[in-house]
Amino acid sequence: MANAMLLPVLISFLIMPFSAMALTQDFCVADLSCSDTPAGYPCKAGVSAGDFYYHGLAAAGNTSNLIKAAVTPAFVGQFPGVNGLGISAARLDIAMGGVVPLHTHPAASELLFVTEGTILAGFISSSSNTVYTKTLYKGDIMVFPQGLLHYQYNGGSSAAVALVAFSGPNPGLQITDYALFANNLPSAVVEKVTFLDDAQVKKLKSVLGGSG
Amino acid sequence: MANAMLLPVLISFLIMPFSAMALTQDFCVADLSCSDTPAGYPCKAGVSAGDFYYHGLAAAGNTSNLIKAAVTPAFVGQFPGVNGLGISAARLDIAMGGVVPLHTHPAASELLFVTEGTILAGFISSSSNTVYTKTLYKGDIMVFPQGLLHYQYNGGSSAAVALVAFSGPNPGLQITDYALFANNLPSAVVEKVTFLDDAQVKKLKSVLGGSG
Amino acid sequence: MANAMLLPVLISFLIMPFSAMALTQDFCVADLSCSDTPAGYPCKAGVSAGDFYYHGLAAAGNTSNLIKAAVTPAFVGQFPGVNGLGISAARLDIAMGGVVPLHTHPAASELLFVTEGTILAGFISSSSNTVYTKTLYKGDIMVFPQGLLHYQYNGGSSAAVALVAFSGPNPGLQITDYALFANNLPSAVVEKVTFLDDAQVKKLKSVLGGSG
Amino acid sequence: MANAMLLPVLISFLIMPFSAMALTQDFCVADLSCSDTPAGYPCKAGVSAGDFYYHGLAAAGNTSNLIKAAVTPAFVGQFPGVNGLGISAARLDIAMGGVVPLHTHPAASELLFVTEGTILAGFISSSSNTVYTKTLYKGDIMVFPQGLLHYQYNGGSSAAVALVAFSGPNPGLQITDYALFANNLPSAVVEKVTFLDDAQVKKLKSVLGGSG
Amino acid sequence: MANAMLLPVLISFLIMPFSAMALTQDFCVADLSCSDTPAGYPCKAGVSAGDFYYHGLAAAGNTSNLIKAAVTPAFVGQFPGVNGLGISAARLDIAMGGVVPLHTHPAASELLFVTEGTILAGFISSSSNTVYTKTLYKGDIMVFPQGLLHYQYNGGSSAAVALVAFSGPNPGLQITDYALFANNLPSAVVEKVTFLDDAQVKKLKSVLGGSG
Amino acid sequence: MANAMLLPVLISFLIMPFSAMALTQDFCVADLSCSDTPAGYPCKAGVSAGDFYYHGLAAAGNTSNLIKAAVTPAFVGQFPGVNGLGISAARLDIAMGGVVPLHTHPAASELLFVTEGTILAGFISSSSNTVYTKTLYKGDIMVFPQGLLHYQYNGGSSAAVALVAFSGPNPGLQITDYALFANNLPSAVVEKVTFLDDAQVKKLKSVLGGSG
């Protein structure tokens, strides 16, 4: 169909609408130097392919710690390209015997994909307190609905690795133990709102660096 | 402007567009006999004023129990008129010494308005575990962001009452103690994911009716 | 489970992920000195508990005026903590014989909770113009769907007070009388678009301070 | 790249993923025989090109009436293909001297495009009651923000026609006069909530077919 | 109802709530000098009626080009008043024999209204690749679901004009030919990901100004 | 705090609110036997842990085909547990020399995580037609904004595997070649809307099973 004689005309025409629509927003890479907004960060100028790429999940996290586990995030703070796109990721490394303690993500659902080893995972529904738990092997996926308490631990005889995707660029992470014991919330208040014994609360406050 | 001779014509004209647009959705009162959907319940037919009204928060909840507190919900399940409207409510009664234990609402932010007495309330941010706490007197309001752990207890010398509004028709309620101890989640798992001592876990499982 | 010898290790591990995720957005208290965006104000830095608390609804509004009523808002402009959280509030004081005139909230549904007295409230559906009206006593709640005309007036023999919650941080308030008569919209235009008589329009323009 | 010998293999491969993903939802044409939901109607089966096409706006509406105007809707009730797509349309015919009376669309913003004649249009902001008004000629567009009172009337010496698009499939239409006068809302209530005189209210109730 | 003696009081009362609620967001006209955000541009100050009005679609686009067609956008970049309102528009001029080539709008559904001439339009569903096509005459409308490939061409014996509305203020426009041939994407990559022959790719790269 | 004598009272109290709130929606596993809605499928009854788990991505897809690649979806149709949760997944297997052809997902952004091998991936922005391309190794992630054309191919010397997550439960997949050549869209129309030569169109229609 394209007649060579008409080519110069075609070029000049088709380029026109693009310059006129230069503000179209295909994406909005976060400018982390600006204040956040309820919908995410303002968009940075001068975007390149590197903004949509992240290498930080390639290396295993350091699991040489008591819980023998590490969470490596690729949220908007680490990976500005996901800003406004409704998705983010993290890497989970769990050594033998390791555990990702009970926690929630206030702002996203989570989808876990096991890439190595065996992970026992569960979540607990609200109101009825039903426990939904599965043993996951390499290649299995499990989804954890937004805001519900869940946990993962290594259920096998070797290290476990998982990729975790979230339904938002900034899912948040609230580890119950840290919310209760790793701050200055007074022990008396913790006990009142949890029914835990005083000795238990003080022990964990000590372990996790809390005061009060 | 209105000329009496033209009135019959006016009536016939203006009625016409309404019949043509009879499917307009001003609201969608829940038909609780249908399956829910991710956006809420299907709309019931035959709506009347009573569907937008609820009397169930008028009476105090019964606080004659260990925690000396009661939560009376007006969520979509009790108050179908809020379906699809992005809002719901509940009444909090907290006797002297009473407490609403640590909990989250996975699907809504909460705004609390004290109508009687004094309430100490707090929430804990994710990641940084900062505690935000206030003593609230009659007429004060406080907002608790979606999905974050929070609690309320009576901080005064008389009964306290509060109206609570939520930013969704079905906010959910996950009480941490119940999620951990009031079901069949094995004690060994609870201990692994919380660092709590075995004796503590078994004591609370016994108290709250859990097994395993 | 926690072995005292391992505690230092536990602390150093668990703190690590938090510093790495410092940009998590649990909330976004409005920085009212910045320009608003379609999703709300940019988030302010240096948040404290006071940002989630508001005392301004504790005192009764002044009802010594013709309509014998007062609306005290706790929208994002007064209560920056609700920014991005999908909720806000207001207090309604209506003296005997008082009225909150016909109005809409363009950007939120409303849930009204009567704390004192008796309120007659109603809303009108679009298209079919059906009126939904209820007499509300202390403790009753009623919901008004987004954008629909509604009104409240004191239907009892004493002052009435209500807490009102909205399904958004900035619900807006468009009082029909003010939209028509309290500005410079020419009388001829008002008459054309409302069918009101010229004398009626001019009378209310005079009352409400409009011109034209 | 395509080698003829490999073609049969290519066909069998590429067809496979499609059958496996047959539930993909590109669109959701409304099944109007089902109950609506807060997000729109359930999707009908057996969709064809005709479902995405509507002829009903091609003919002029009948403006032989007092207001000398007609609104012809292409909302989800008339045009089921827009269900779930965030858009709908209507046609406005306004004869000389005609007017579309003061109204709101509770559930959508409106974009008006004049195709014939001259239209004077305005909307009124909430809270500050500022009037924004323009004279629109053929080819001009104007946008009316969601939920705000607005009006259009023929400002020229010939018939006017406009296409109106809405930011939702079911925008609603609340004509203020009809909400007040075309139903059984008692005159005393109308007067109380609008400050209108009794004679004015009764006159318009009579004109518009209301009672009470 | 309005007693003249009380009028001064009425004015002072009713004005009060407006000043107190001055931050209400009825609209958010884009300040294009600021960085965009995922929800749209920050709101500009000093809004006037002209911000909600756009004249740029009144004149025909120049169709003196190979495709004999022109798209004139009224997106947020040209018409800042639509920012945050979920709607925008464009004008389509298609001379006899003209065509708007295969394209998608990544961020909006489209509703097309033919104002002059005859347009053949079609879209293709994902997964099942079903083609939905219609011949549209003056006054007809057709809707194209978000993100799906579609096209329009003049199917008649005179020029065609259409108004196009979008379900978002910044719909984007990705013309398949331009995405493939009007940039520096290497020919070998284009061939690999499209199965097109090398000669075809190089011919169109030359026509459309691409390199590589 | 918990006194053994009070335990029976505690149990009876705390169970009460749960039965009263039985309709809380933590999740909404798709009932695929029902009609879809714009927000997803109605919720099925009788949910168990298996509903949140999917094994179908564990095995490699069959890449013994011309493009030497396979996409194995875990969308709502295969994995009903993701319904309403804003997330889904797929597995990509690309043999040496294999390619996932140019395509879009109309309803989701995509996050790709390489688990084996080397993948060259790119996407093209709308309007400016800029190409963003990266070579991805094991552990790397890349994000592809919603609705934009993108592709992946094996850039290494061994098989490549990736997990792909989407920002919605039903992202859709529109492969450009299939949309153009694997259906009954007439060759003349394809040529008109793509500028492709007739021979090229007919060749690919033949290869991909299209007619017309």
Side-chain angles (χ1 to χ4, degrees):
Chain A
M1 168 201 177
N3 182 319
M5 292 181 63
L6 292 172
L7 296 189
V9 179
L10 174 61
I11 293 171
S12 64
F13 164 77
L14 284 173
I15 286 168
M16 188 184 59
F18 299 143
S19 54
M21 282 178 264
L23 288 162
T24 295
Q25 186 191 53
D26 287 328
F27 40 72
C28 178
V29 177
D31 182 344
L32 296 176
S33 71
C34 293
S35 294
D36 204 357
T37 78
Y41 288 89
C43 317
K44 82 172 217 185
V47 168
S48 70
D51 290 307
F52 302 99
Y53 160 85
Y54 190 58
H55 181 64
L57 305 191
N62 184 351
T63 60
S64 299
N65 52 51
L66 184 65
I67 62 164
K68 299 179 178 169
V71 179
T72 308
F75 298 171
V76 70
Q78 295 81 38
F79 184 19
V82 296
N83 190 49
L85 296 185
I87 201 158
S88 64
R91 175 186 175 131
L92 241 55
D93 289 280
I94 317 180
M96 275 184 61
V99 60
V100 180
L102 193 75
H103 65 283
T104 64
H105 304 289
S109 292
E110 169 182 338
L111 190 150
L112 182 147
F113 176 81
V114 179
T115 57
E116 289 178 36
T118 303
I119 292 177
L120 272 73
F123 72 88
I124 305 165
S125 74
S126 83
S127 303
S128 70
N129 303 302
T130 306
V131 182
Y132 297 89
T133 183
K134 290 296 284 184
T135 301
L136 306 169
Y137 303 98
K138 183 174 177 171
D140 287 349
I141 59 176
M142 184 167 177
V143 69
F144 304 89
Q146 181 168 346
L148 297 186
L149 285 165
H150 61 286
Y151 58 84
Q152 293 104 8
Y153 59 91
N154 191 328
S157 52
S158 63
V161 182
L163 176 72
V164 174
F166 296 97
S167 65
N170 216 352
L173 168 60
Q174 184 161 50
I175 301 180
T176 308
D177 262 25
Y178 255 59
L180 285 171
F181 306 121
N183 49 31
N184 61 351
L185 185 60
S187 295
V189 174
V190 175
E191 291 157 29
K192 184 183 274 289
V193 302
T194 61
F195 311 138
L196 293 175
D197 294 336
D198 180 64
Q200 178 73 85
V201 169
K202 288 188 169 140
K203 179 177 175 185
L204 284 168
K205 273 200 167 277
S206 164
V207 169
L208 293 167
S211 60
Chain B
M1 168 199 173
N3 182 320
M5 292 181 62
L6 293 172
L7 296 189
V9 180
L10 175 61
I11 293 171
S12 63
F13 164 76
L14 284 174
I15 286 168
M16 187 183 62
F18 299 143
S19 54
M21 282 178 263
L23 288 162
T24 294
Q25 186 192 54
D26 288 327
F27 40 71
C28 178
V29 177
D31 182 344
L32 296 176
S33 70
C34 294
S35 294
D36 204 356
T37 77
Y41 287 88
C43 316
K44 83 172 216 184
V47 168
S48 68
D51 290 306
F52 302 99
Y53 161 85
Y54 189 58
H55 181 64
L57 305 191
N62 184 352
T63 61
S64 298
N65 51 55
L66 183 64
I67 62 164
K68 298 178 177 167
V71 179
T72 308
F75 297 172
V76 69
Q78 294 81 40
F79 185 18
V82 295
N83 190 50
L85 295 185
I87 201 159
S88 63
R91 175 187 176 130
L92 240 54
D93 290 280
I94 318 182
M96 277 183 60
V99 61
V100 180
L102 193 76
H103 65 283
T104 64
H105 304 287
S109 292
E110 170 182 337
L111 190 149
L112 182 146
F113 177 80
V114 178
T115 57
E116 290 178 35
T118 303
I119 291 177
L120 272 74
F123 72 87
I124 306 164
S125 76
S126 83
S127 304
S128 70
N129 304 302
T130 306
V131 182
Y132 297 90
T133 182
K134 290 296 283 183
T135 301
L136 306 169
Y137 302 98
K138 182 172 177 171
D140 288 348
I141 59 175
M142 184 169 177
V143 68
F144 305 89
Q146 180 168 345
L148 297 186
L149 285 165
H150 61 287
Y151 57 84
Q152 292 105 7
Y153 61 90
N154 191 328
S157 53
S158 63
V161 183
L163 176 71
V164 174
F166 297 97
S167 66
N170 215 351
L173 168 59
Q174 183 160 52
I175 300 179
T176 309
D177 262 26
Y178 255 60
L180 284 171
F181 307 120
N183 49 32
N184 62 351
L185 185 59
S187 295
V189 173
V190 175
E191 292 157 28
K192 183 183 276 290
V193 302
T194 62
F195 311 138
L196 294 175
D197 294 335
D198 180 65
Q200 178 74 84
V201 170
K202 288 188 168 139
K203 179 177 174 185
L204 284 169
K205 273 200 167 277
S206 164
V207 168
L208 293 167
S211 60
Chain C
M1 169 203 171
N3 182 318
M5 292 180 62
L6 293 172
L7 297 191
V9 180
L10 175 60
I11 293 170
S12 63
F13 165 76
L14 284 174
I15 286 168
M16 188 182 62
F18 299 142
S19 55
M21 281 179 263
L23 288 162
T24 294
Q25 186 193 54
D26 287 328
F27 40 72
C28 178
V29 177
D31 183 344
L32 296 176
S33 71
C34 293
S35 294
D36 204 358
T37 77
Y41 287 88
C43 316
K44 82 172 217 185
V47 168
S48 69
D51 290 306
F52 302 100
Y53 160 85
Y54 189 57
H55 180 65
L57 305 191
N62 183 352
T63 60
S64 298
N65 52 52
L66 184 66
I67 62 165
K68 299 179 178 169
V71 179
T72 309
F75 298 172
V76 69
Q78 295 81 39
F79 185 18
V82 296
N83 190 50
L85 295 185
I87 201 159
S88 63
R91 175 187 175 130
L92 240 55
D93 289 280
I94 317 181
M96 275 184 61
V99 60
V100 181
L102 194 74
H103 64 283
T104 63
H105 304 288
S109 293
E110 169 182 337
L111 190 150
L112 182 147
F113 177 81
V114 179
T115 57
E116 288 178 35
T118 303
I119 292 177
L120 271 74
F123 72 87
I124 306 165
S125 74
S126 83
S127 303
S128 70
N129 304 302
T130 306
V131 182
Y132 297 89
T133 183
K134 291 295 284 184
T135 301
L136 305 169
Y137 302 98
K138 183 174 177 171
D140 287 348
I141 59 176
M142 185 168 177
V143 69
F144 305 89
Q146 180 168 346
L148 297 186
L149 284 165
H150 60 288
Y151 58 85
Q152 292 104 9
Y153 60 91
N154 191 329
S157 52
S158 63
V161 183
L163 176 71
V164 173
F166 296 98
S167 65
N170 215 351
L173 167 60
Q174 184 161 50
I175 301 179
T176 308
D177 262 26
Y178 255 59
L180 285 171
F181 306 120
N183 48 31
N184 62 351
L185 186 60
S187 295
V189 174
V190 175
E191 292 157 29
K192 184 183 274 291
V193 303
T194 62
F195 311 137
L196 293 175
D197 294 336
D198 179 65
Q200 178 74 84
V201 169
K202 286 187 169 140
K203 179 177 176 185
L204 284 169
K205 272 199 168 277
S206 164
V207 169
L208 294 166
S211 60
Chain D
M1 169 198 173
N3 182 319
M5 293 180 62
L6 293 172
L7 296 189
V9 180
L10 175 60
I11 294 171
S12 63
F13 164 76
L14 284 175
I15 286 168
M16 186 181 63
F18 299 142
S19 54
M21 282 179 265
L23 288 163
T24 295
Q25 185 191 52
D26 287 328
F27 40 72
C28 178
V29 177
D31 183 344
L32 296 176
S33 70
C34 293
S35 294
D36 203 357
T37 77
Y41 287 88
C43 317
K44 82 171 218 185
V47 168
S48 69
D51 290 306
F52 302 99
Y53 161 85
Y54 189 57
H55 181 64
L57 305 191
N62 183 353
T63 60
S64 299
N65 52 54
L66 183 65
I67 63 164
K68 299 178 178 168
V71 180
T72 308
F75 298 172
V76 68
Q78 294 81 39
F79 185 18
V82 295
N83 190 50
L85 295 185
I87 201 159
S88 63
R91 175 188 175 130
L92 239 54
D93 290 279
I94 318 181
M96 275 184 62
V99 61
V100 181
L102 193 76
H103 64 282
T104 64
H105 304 288
S109 292
E110 170 182 337
L111 191 150
L112 182 147
F113 176 81
V114 179
T115 57
E116 289 178 34
T118 302
I119 291 178
L120 271 74
F123 72 87
I124 306 164
S125 74
S126 83
S127 305
S128 70
N129 304 302
T130 307
V131 182
Y132 297 90
T133 183
K134 291 296 284 185
T135 301
L136 306 169
Y137 302 98
K138 182 172 179 174
D140 287 348
I141 59 176
M142 185 170 177
V143 69
F144 306 89
Q146 180 167 347
L148 297 186
L149 285 165
H150 61 286
Y151 58 84
Q152 291 105 8
Y153 61 90
N154 191 329
S157 54
S158 62
V161 182
L163 177 71
V164 173
F166 296 97
S167 66
N170 215 350
L173 168 59
Q174 183 161 51
I175 300 179
T176 308
D177 261 26
Y178 255 59
L180 285 171
F181 306 120
N183 50 31
N184 61 351
L185 186 59
S187 295
V189 174
V190 175
E191 292 158 28
K192 183 184 276 290
V193 302
T194 63
F195 311 139
L196 293 175
D197 294 335
D198 180 64
Q200 178 74 85
V201 170
K202 287 188 169 139
K203 179 177 176 185
L204 284 168
K205 273 200 167 277
S206 165
V207 169
L208 293 167
S211 60
Chain E
M1 168 202 175
N3 182 320
M5 292 180 62
L6 293 172
L7 296 191
V9 181
L10 174 61
I11 293 171
S12 63
F13 164 77
L14 284 174
I15 286 167
M16 188 183 61
F18 300 143
S19 55
M21 282 179 263
L23 288 161
T24 295
Q25 186 191 55
D26 287 328
F27 40 71
C28 178
V29 177
D31 183 344
L32 296 176
S33 70
C34 293
S35 294
D36 204 357
T37 77
Y41 287 89
C43 317
K44 82 171 217 185
V47 169
S48 69
D51 290 306
F52 302 100
Y53 160 85
Y54 189 58
H55 181 64
L57 305 191
N62 184 352
T63 61
S64 297
N65 52 52
L66 184 64
I67 62 164
K68 298 178 178 168
V71 179
T72 308
F75 298 172
V76 70
Q78 295 81 38
F79 185 18
V82 297
N83 190 50
L85 296 185
I87 201 158
S88 63
R91 175 188 174 130
L92 239 57
D93 289 280
I94 318 180
M96 275 185 61
V99 61
V100 181
L102 193 75
H103 64 283
T104 63
H105 305 288
S109 292
E110 170 182 337
L111 189 149
L112 182 147
F113 177 80
V114 179
T115 57
E116 289 178 35
T118 302
I119 291 177
L120 272 74
F123 73 88
I124 305 164
S125 75
S126 83
S127 303
S128 70
N129 303 303
T130 306
V131 182
Y132 297 89
T133 183
K134 291 295 285 183
T135 301
L136 306 169
Y137 302 98
K138 183 174 177 171
D140 287 349
I141 60 175
M142 184 168 177
V143 68
F144 305 89
Q146 181 168 345
L148 296 186
L149 285 164
H150 61 286
Y151 58 85
Q152 292 105 7
Y153 60 91
N154 191 328
S157 54
S158 63
V161 183
L163 176 71
V164 174
F166 296 97
S167 66
N170 216 351
L173 168 60
Q174 184 161 51
I175 300 179
T176 308
D177 262 25
Y178 256 59
L180 284 171
F181 306 121
N183 49 31
N184 62 351
L185 185 60
S187 296
V189 174
V190 176
E191 292 158 27
K192 183 183 275 290
V193 303
T194 62
F195 311 138
L196 294 174
D197 294 337
D198 180 65
Q200 178 73 85
V201 169
K202 287 188 168 140
K203 179 177 176 185
L204 284 169
K205 272 199 168 278
S206 164
V207 169
L208 293 167
S211 60
Chain F
M1 168 200 173
N3 181 320
M5 290 180 63
L6 293 172
L7 296 189
V9 180
L10 175 61
I11 293 171
S12 63
F13 164 76
L14 284 174
I15 286 167
M16 188 183 61
F18 299 142
S19 54
M21 282 179 264
L23 287 163
T24 295
Q25 186 192 53
D26 287 326
F27 40 71
C28 178
V29 176
D31 183 344
L32 297 175
S33 71
C34 293
S35 294
D36 204 356
T37 78
Y41 287 88
C43 316
K44 81 171 220 186
V47 168
S48 69
D51 289 307
F52 302 99
Y53 160 86
Y54 189 58
H55 180 65
L57 305 191
N62 184 351
T63 60
S64 299
N65 51 54
L66 184 63
I67 63 164
K68 299 179 177 167
V71 179
T72 309
F75 298 172
V76 69
Q78 295 81 39
F79 184 19
V82 296
N83 190 50
L85 296 185
I87 202 159
S88 63
R91 175 188 176 131
L92 240 55
D93 290 279
I94 317 180
M96 276 184 61
V99 61
V100 180
L102 193 75
H103 64 284
T104 64
H105 304 287
S109 292
E110 170 182 336
L111 190 151
L112 181 146
F113 177 80
V114 178
T115 57
E116 290 178 34
T118 302
I119 292 177
L120 272 73
F123 73 87
I124 305 164
S125 75
S126 84
S127 304
S128 70
N129 303 303
T130 307
V131 182
Y132 297 90
T133 183
K134 290 295 284 184
T135 302
L136 306 169
Y137 302 97
K138 182 173 179 172
D140 288 348
I141 59 176
M142 185 170 177
V143 68
F144 305 89
Q146 180 168 347
L148 297 186
L149 285 165
H150 61 287
Y151 58 83
Q152 291 105 7
Y153 60 90
N154 191 328
S157 53
S158 62
V161 182
L163 176 71
V164 174
F166 296 97
S167 66
N170 216 352
L173 168 59
Q174 182 160 52
I175 300 179
T176 309
D177 262 25
Y178 255 59
L180 284 171
F181 307 121
N183 49 31
N184 62 350
L185 185 60
S187 295
V189 174
V190 175
E191 292 158 29
K192 182 182 275 291
V193 301
T194 61
F195 311 137
L196 293 175
D197 294 335
D198 180 64
Q200 178 74 83
V201 170
K202 288 190 167 137
K203 178 177 175 185
L204 283 169
K205 272 200 168 277
S206 164
V207 170
L208 293 167
S211 61

